[in-house]
Amino acid sequence: MPSTTIAQVGVRGFGTIHLERIDRLTPSGRVSLIATADPGGPLNDRDVAWYPSLSDLLTEHAPDIVSIATPIGTHAPLAIEALQAGADVFLEKPPFASLAEFAQVMEVARATGRHVQIGFQSLGSAGVTRLRDLATDGTLGTLTRISARGAWLRDRGYYERARWAGRRTLDGARVADGVVTNPLAHAIATALWLAGATTPDSITAITTELYHAHHIEADDTSFVRIDLVEGPPVCAALTLAAPGQGTAVVTLEGTQGVATYEYTRDVLHLHTRAGTTHETFPRLDLLENFVDHLETGAPALVPLAETIGFMCVLEATQLRPAPVQIPEQYLTWEGEGSAAHPVVDDVEYWMDQALHHQEGFAAAGAPWADPAAVAIWRPNADPGPLG
């Protein structure tokens, strides 16, 4: 069988990770990289055709898959161009900068009969499937809490790496960068998948409380609560202004036990009356799964349609005033120059308090929090482009 041909759009930054995934599948003959597109120029160590744009590439090649790892605001036009050219699309997360773009790409995919898979890699783990089973098979009893927690560190250099980094808008267009929508987006996507919140009808309200410690436009320290039609709310406390690079986890709490999942390491910690167990799970690469889907009809693990819950959260973060700056008196700056980073006073304690009370930082009493930062969006009351 001829290999699946792939064109990679964006070869720097996270594009290098996409290239590594292609490289892993190439020796087996599953895929072949036929061209790249990047306005920054070709990679010197790649003997493959390069073009400054996807449009230029598509005039010379007809790839089976266009793999996209470019700035968030470019995802929609590139995906539409690839779909209309007859290619299927493997798209880096977050999918798009708005629900309107999501709806537009969904319509083009339907009209062309092509497929789109989103790179929420955590959803390729067998551990997530196991966690979802635990939520429904009675092991945890009645589910009472679904929470996500991520305490990471990002320095000034992280936001200096690109013009769009740390921006909500750029040149008049929405970018939608931020801790909720980009670096810790997997926490939200994983928690929503576990809750089965994959349609807008499953969500009644989304409460956001967004702050930034860095001197940026987007959020870097935030609380989100997603109220569902069925089941407990999904709550997330996320920061990029922690003392160090901590572990990102999704936790299910029930009347009979607690399951905590480290989604970056695929490790599940299960605590029940029978005792405590720890298990590490394998992860299927989503590009490989996408190739399987296109070649054999195997189920796609993260089809575009099933990321709508995440896109509703992204929209909620943007349909609100700008994040609130945390006052300097509650910040400690460590390091110098591009390596400098802020640490919010007792941020991990207040994250735990916000998750415990399920009402956010201001309600928990964090001294740096501001009730004015809290906003609520109801998707069903204002469905916008989703009708």
Side-chain angles (χ1 to χ4, degrees):
M1 179 182 296
S3 63
T4 297
T5 58
I6 300 180
Q8 177 61 42
V9 184
V11 298
R12 293 169 174 81
F14 214 83
T16 61
I17 305 300
H18 281 232
L19 288 170
E20 289 173 4
R21 291 169 181 156
I22 295 169
D23 289 345
R24 284 199 295 269
L25 295 177
T26 298
S28 66
R30 296 293 309 281
V31 305
S32 59
L33 180 67
I34 60 170
T36 63
D38 192 309
L43 295 175
N44 294 330
D45 60 346
R46 292 270 172 177
D47 184 19
V48 64
W50 162 83
Y51 301 88
S53 71
L54 176 59
S55 297
D56 292 324
L57 185 155
L58 292 174
T59 63
E60 300 294 333
H61 303 273
D64 297 317
I65 295 174
V66 171
S67 173
I68 300 172
T70 58
I72 302 164
T74 67
H75 285 186
L78 289 171
I80 289 171
E81 185 175 8
L83 292 168
Q84 291 178 336
D88 297 296
V89 173
F90 183 79
L91 182 63
E92 184 51 44
K93 63 80 187 165
F96 308 109
S98 70
L99 267 177
E101 291 181 346
F102 175 93
Q104 186 180 14
V105 176
M106 279 292 296
E107 180 55 35
V108 173
R110 291 191 191 102
T112 58
R114 309 317 301 178
H115 304 268
V116 182
Q117 172 120 300
I118 306 302
F120 282 116
Q121 290 292 332
S122 62
L123 300 183
S125 175
V128 176
T129 302
R130 170 64 174 144
L131 199 57
R132 195 167 188 175
D133 290 341
L134 289 172
T136 59
D137 67 6
T139 300
L140 300 178
T142 301
L143 205 60
T144 57
R145 292 176 185 269
I146 303 174
S147 62
R149 185 186 189 278
W152 286 3
L153 180 158
R154 291 293 183 267
D155 59 20
R156 282 177 178 153
Y158 176 79
Y159 293 108
E160 294 169 350
R161 76 191 192 282
R163 288 183 65 225
W164 59 269
R167 301 293 299 269
R168 287 165 63 84
T169 61
L170 181 64
D171 299 332
R174 187 189 284 186
V175 173
D177 193 23
V179 64
V180 173
T181 57
N182 196 7
L184 281 163
H186 284 87
I188 299 289
T190 304
L192 287 173
W193 191 85
L194 292 169
T198 57
T199 68
D201 291 341
S202 62
I203 298 173
T204 61
I206 300 172
T207 302
T208 58
E209 187 179 348
L210 311 182
Y211 302 90
H212 50 84
H214 281 274
H215 299 148
I216 57 174
E217 184 183 27
D219 60 307
D220 61 32
T221 301
S222 298
F223 175 85
V224 176
R225 172 178 167 136
I226 304 121
D227 286 289
L228 307 176
V229 173
E230 295 183 6
V234 174
C235 295
L238 311 170
T239 188
L240 302 178
Q245 186 74 0
T247 301
V249 301
V250 174
T251 300
L252 301 181
E253 297 182 44
T255 55
Q256 302 295 323
V258 178
T260 300
Y261 188 65
E262 299 180 47
Y263 68 80
T264 59
R265 299 176 57 228
D266 303 311
V267 177
L268 173 65
H269 309 280
L270 177 61
H271 309 276
T272 67
R273 292 174 182 175
T276 298
T277 61
H278 310 278
E279 189 174 358
T280 301
F281 292 85
R283 180 184 293 194
L284 179 60
D285 181 86
L286 292 181
L287 177 59
E288 182 176 2
N289 166 250
F290 196 39
V291 173
D292 288 341
H293 172 66
L294 298 175
E295 289 184 352
T296 70
L301 292 177
V302 195
L304 176 60
E306 294 189 10
T307 64
I308 192 170
F310 172 83
M311 286 302 306
C312 285
V313 174
L314 181 147
E315 191 75 4
T317 68
Q318 305 303 302
L319 295 178
R320 50 149 297 128
V324 172
Q325 176 70 50
I326 296 175
E328 288 292 330
Q329 72 235 48
Y330 299 110
L331 303 177
T332 300
W333 283 86
E334 300 181 358
E336 298 181 358
S338 294
H341 63 92
V343 178
V344 178
D345 287 357
D346 300 318
V347 65
E348 295 198 67
Y349 170 79
W350 292 113
M351 290 169 66
D352 292 337
Q353 290 298 303
L355 289 174
H356 175 72
H357 295 289
Q358 298 184 309
E359 293 184 357
F361 297 121
W368 41 265
D370 184 348
V374 179
I376 302 175
W377 181 56
R378 303 183 189 279
N380 293 325
D382 181 20
L386 299 177

